[in-house]
Amino acid sequence: MSNSNKMPNSKLETSNRRNHEAEMCYEGEADLHKHVAECQKNPGHKGFIPLKYFNRNCLPARYRDDGLMSGTIKTLAALTVQVKTKYTSLDRPEFYPGTQEPYPFYSDSGSHVMRLATGRVRRVDKYTEGAVTCRCAKCQVSATPSKVWGKVSVVTATHVVFNDKEARQTRCVLGYNDNKSPVVSLDGWEVVSADIDGDLCELRYVTCDLNLVDELEMMCQLFDRFCTEVRKKYSRFVDVDKLTVIVSHPHGCPKQVSVGQWTHKRERDDYRTRYVYTTCTCPGSSGATVYSLEYIRSWDYQHLHSGSNDEGNYSGEWFF
């Protein structure tokens, strides 16, 4: 991962040591049910709503009238992915730059322990002509690789996927809405950009599954439209309700929706912020989009869930 690909570094302080929320599967995915049952952070997980049960009545009263907000959250859910990383790079630093604070999973460097988290499809680019053909796993071994294909960009936390070496062993699972849902997987290709301090990473995947490309492109456009309408209707309540919604895969489970409030922002002189919020998260929620009324459009990076400390749950850094 070259320096030219890195986002600007920043050092926005938190009140105490960061506790990141990727779920490590030292004994394999089969033991995830133990992680759920033994969870100390949210025993019983009452603050999570399975996606299939989420509706407008799960939101504060102000946002129930026309289904606009619930539609926005369901569209965000359609873009939310489970992130499975099967390798921890030897290139991870021992500490955060310029500090003595341990960097997540450094002690697992070189191992193939699975790490589960959450991400979101940020944008889709479709290629229908030209000399460059698809480089997905299927096309790489084909004598006739597809000339029509797409790039799918996914954002997650940098502590989840640190560099290209980890990205190549990272799978994104789409459609994991419940235990009976058909899912589609994308295998990793590369890291486009990564910011250690801001805890935001963009991955790029390639696929010649045109149905998937078209569906994700449509969902990105729909999410953009919803965000515009939400901002137009509810922007005056940004600092009143402080609504904050997260769709994630806690403990590697199917998609769950949690609804809460941001309590405060930590701001920098360059306008980068980190939110602190009451919205429920658990290990496995790292990298999930932190949706608020300030959200603009799908292809912006925005704030992603990073971890928790004594202040509460907190995001990585971004602008607004």
Side-chain angles (χ1 to χ4, degrees):
M1 184 171 57
S2 67
N3 289 334
S4 61
N5 279 341
K6 289 187 178 181
M7 299 175 190
N9 280 335
S10 55
K11 294 180 180 179
L12 193 68
E13 296 297 328
T14 54
S15 63
N16 54 25
R17 183 159 291 180
R18 288 168 273 204
N19 179 30
H20 291 292
E21 293 193 329
E23 181 77 275
M24 296 296 285
C25 300
Y26 291 100
E27 299 178 17
E29 286 188 77
D31 284 331
L32 283 175
H33 66 281
K34 292 183 180 178
H35 295 205
V36 176
E38 298 172 359
C39 178
Q40 298 298 307
K41 184 179 182 186
N42 289 308
H45 297 92
K46 295 179 180 179
F48 292 102
I49 307 165
L51 179 61
K52 64 181 178 180
Y53 297 125
F54 176 77
N55 57 57
R56 69 181 70 183
N57 293 323
C58 300
L59 294 164
R62 194 192 312 278
Y63 306 98
R64 297 175 187 172
D65 56 351
D66 57 6
L68 176 59
M69 182 59 75
S70 59
T72 304
I73 302 307
K74 288 181 180 179
T75 307
L76 171 62
L79 296 171
T80 297
V81 303
Q82 184 186 50
V83 179
K84 295 184 175 183
T85 304
K86 297 182 179 180
Y87 177 66
T88 303
S89 172
L90 291 168
D91 298 326
R92 284 189 175 236
E94 184 174 2
F95 303 104
Y96 279 94
T99 77
Q100 290 299 304
E101 182 180 350
Y103 192 71
F105 314 122
Y106 170 80
S107 60
D108 295 300
S109 295
S111 76
H112 291 271
V113 176
M114 180 173 288
R115 188 164 52 252
L116 297 178
T118 304
R120 172 182 59 83
V121 174
R122 173 180 175 249
R123 64 180 294 163
V124 179
D125 296 297
K126 187 175 180 180
Y127 299 86
T128 58
E129 57 183 35
V132 179
T133 57
C134 182
R135 287 182 278 176
C136 72
K138 182 176 71 173
C139 285
Q140 286 188 40
V141 296
S142 172
T144 56
S146 179
K147 295 183 179 180
V148 182
W149 55 287
K151 289 181 183 177
V152 180
S153 294
V154 173
V155 287
T156 188
T158 303
H159 75 267
V160 174
V161 183
F162 183 75
N163 59 11
D164 287 344
K165 295 175 183 177
E166 294 185 2
R168 284 190 286 270
Q169 298 194 50
T170 296
R171 173 170 291 178
C172 277
V173 180
L174 300 96
Y176 186 27
N177 298 337
D178 58 48
N179 288 321
K180 296 181 179 180
S181 298
V183 299
V184 177
S185 296
L186 293 173
D187 290 321
W189 183 23
E190 64 181 350
V191 168
V192 178
S193 54
D195 177 357
I196 293 177
D197 289 300
D199 204 20
L200 193 153
C201 171
E202 180 178 353
L203 307 171
R204 181 177 292 154
Y205 295 81
V206 292
T207 180
C208 55
D209 183 342
L210 298 185
N211 289 332
L212 177 63
V213 170
D214 289 341
E215 180 181 355
L216 292 176
E217 185 176 43
M218 179 187 69
M219 284 298 171
C220 285
Q221 293 170 354
L222 181 60
F223 186 56
D224 290 351
R225 189 162 70 247
F226 270 132
C227 288
T228 299
E229 293 176 5
V230 165
R231 283 173 59 83
K232 183 184 299 184
K233 182 170 183 178
Y234 297 114
S235 60
R236 65 188 184 278
F237 301 117
V238 168
D239 295 322
V240 177
D241 299 327
K242 301 182 178 180
L243 180 68
T244 307
V245 183
I246 294 176
V247 182
S248 69
H249 288 278
H251 303 293
C253 293
K255 290 174 191 171
Q256 308 283 314
V257 182
S258 48
V259 180
Q261 296 176 301
W262 57 267
T263 57
H264 60 280
K265 304 178 193 177
R266 290 184 166 271
E267 300 182 4
R268 288 171 46 95
D269 292 339
D270 62 1
Y271 303 106
R272 288 175 66 134
T273 61
R274 171 176 284 141
Y275 279 84
V276 179
Y277 37 86
T278 64
T279 316
C280 285
T281 63
C282 268
S285 296
S286 279
T289 291
V290 181
Y291 178 83
S292 75
L293 297 179
E294 293 180 313
Y295 213 105
I296 301 172
R297 50 192 169 248
S298 64
W299 50 268
D300 280 339
Y301 287 107
Q302 307 300 334
H303 292 82
L304 306 180
H305 179 63
S306 186
S308 63
N309 58 24
D310 289 344
E311 288 187 303
N313 297 323
Y314 62 85
S315 71
E317 299 173 26
W318 199 240
F319 298 94
F320 76 61

